[in-house]
Amino acid sequence: MTPEPRNLIRGLDARERAVLVAIYEHKVLLTEHLKVMFFGSVRRAQDRLRHLAQRGLIETWYPPQQRGMGKASGHHTLTESGAQVVVSLLGIARSELRYVVRNSEDREQDSYLAHRIGVNEFFCTLIEAGRTNDDHGLAKWVPERTVRTSDGWIRPDGFGVYLHPGGALDLYLEYDRGTETTRQLANKLAGYIRVARDWTEQGAEHFPCVLIVIPNRRRERVVAAAFADAIARFKRAAKL
């Protein structure tokens, strides 16, 4: 039986509570990610994460690595007790918390894991960049969410607001690992165009930038072809 959330929360400081909410929001975070987000050193992060694991609130696991690659970084997910703490912190019912606690076999077979890690790595890199450049910083990081307008919908891998001396950059992230076909990419980009057209009364001028992170130059050509296809669809429709 899962202990009462109020008993689980007792003894957790504000940072540890924030760590649990962050793991909920981003599904799985590495030790290095949590160090960047909340701690001054990896050793301090490991110490606090060990404390959360000992209390049964998170599970730390290490995916198998290829021979010679060394030990994988610690991957941190919520246990059911951790999910109950987040429910209490957010003031919602467990049924409203869209978080599935996976067993070890499910985690190892999660084909989406590398994608999640890549997305989280990107935003943590922005956090680090903000700390090493004056007047820069990641002001907002929203995980994957569906965005709808009357003209269409999109589901970016994340949304961020990055501050810089010239102002602020709003961006939607598409983290591309080269697994989608040109047609699938074109469909996705066409969705962005539809949503952007209906974004505000001023139109797409104020729509966030769409940043597509790609694995190599060859993939860049595929993305460019997909974008050209998406644009062509709207040009053909305008002529009808």
Side-chain angles (χ1 to χ4, degrees), residues 195-208:
V195 171
R197 292 192 308 179
D198 192 43
W199 190 243
T200 67
E201 294 180 358
Q202 293 78 30
E205 177 184 351
H206 299 281
F207 189 70

Side-chain angles (χ1 to χ4, degrees), residues 31-59:
T31 301
E32 291 81 1
H33 297 160
L34 289 161
K35 176 262 179 184
V36 169
M37 295 169 71
F38 297 107
F39 301 98
S41 68
V42 170
R43 177 171 294 184
R44 181 60 174 166
Q46 290 171 330
D47 179 62
R48 291 294 84 199
L49 292 169
R50 192 178 301 112
H51 175 241
L52 292 174
Q54 288 170 347
R55 297 198 59 173
L57 302 177
I58 67 171
E59 185 168 357

Side-chain angles (χ1 to χ4, degrees), residues 82-234:
Q84 292 292 344
V85 168
V86 172
V87 162
S88 182
L89 292 173
L90 299 182
I92 61 177
R94 178 63 177 95
S95 59
E96 296 179 66
L97 194 74
R98 300 181 63 182
Y99 191 93
V100 178
V101 177
R102 298 173 178 267
N103 59 36
S104 58
E105 183 178 347
D106 289 338
R107 288 195 303 260
E108 291 181 7
Q109 295 178 356
D110 184 3
S111 60
Y112 201 59
L113 178 61
H115 185 273
R116 292 190 200 281
I117 297 299
V119 171
N120 296 343
E121 187 76 25
F122 171 83
F123 281 103
C124 286
T125 299
L126 286 187
I127 294 173
E128 287 189 300
R131 290 174 180 162
T132 56
N133 294 277
D134 292 339
D135 300 321
H136 284 249
L138 184 65
K140 191 173 186 178
W141 172 13
V142 179
E144 181 185 59
R145 301 280 169 81
T146 298
V147 180
R148 297 183 184 276
T149 69
S150 60
D151 208 21
W153 66 275
I154 54 175
R155 192 171 181 80
D157 293 319
F159 170 77
V161 178
Y162 189 81
L163 305 180
H164 55 86
L169 173 67
D170 295 358
L171 65 94
Y172 284 127
L173 174 68
E174 283 293 336
Y175 187 81
D176 183 273
R177 299 184 62 242
T179 58
E180 295 179 308
T181 66
T182 304
R183 178 174 289 277
Q184 288 172 322
L185 282 171
N187 291 339
K188 179 181 290 186
L189 293 171
Y192 276 98
I193 296 171
R194 283 193 294 271
V195 171
R197 292 192 308 179
D198 192 43
W199 190 243
T200 67
E201 294 180 358
Q202 293 78 30
E205 177 184 351
H206 299 281
F207 189 70
C209 295
V210 179
L211 176 62
I212 305 175
V213 175
I214 54 176
N216 50 54
R217 288 294 182 89
R218 183 172 61 182
R219 188 61 175 175
E220 182 178 5
R221 293 192 291 271
V222 174
V223 172
F227 184 67
D229 184 357
I231 291 291
R233 296 182 191 185
F234 288 92

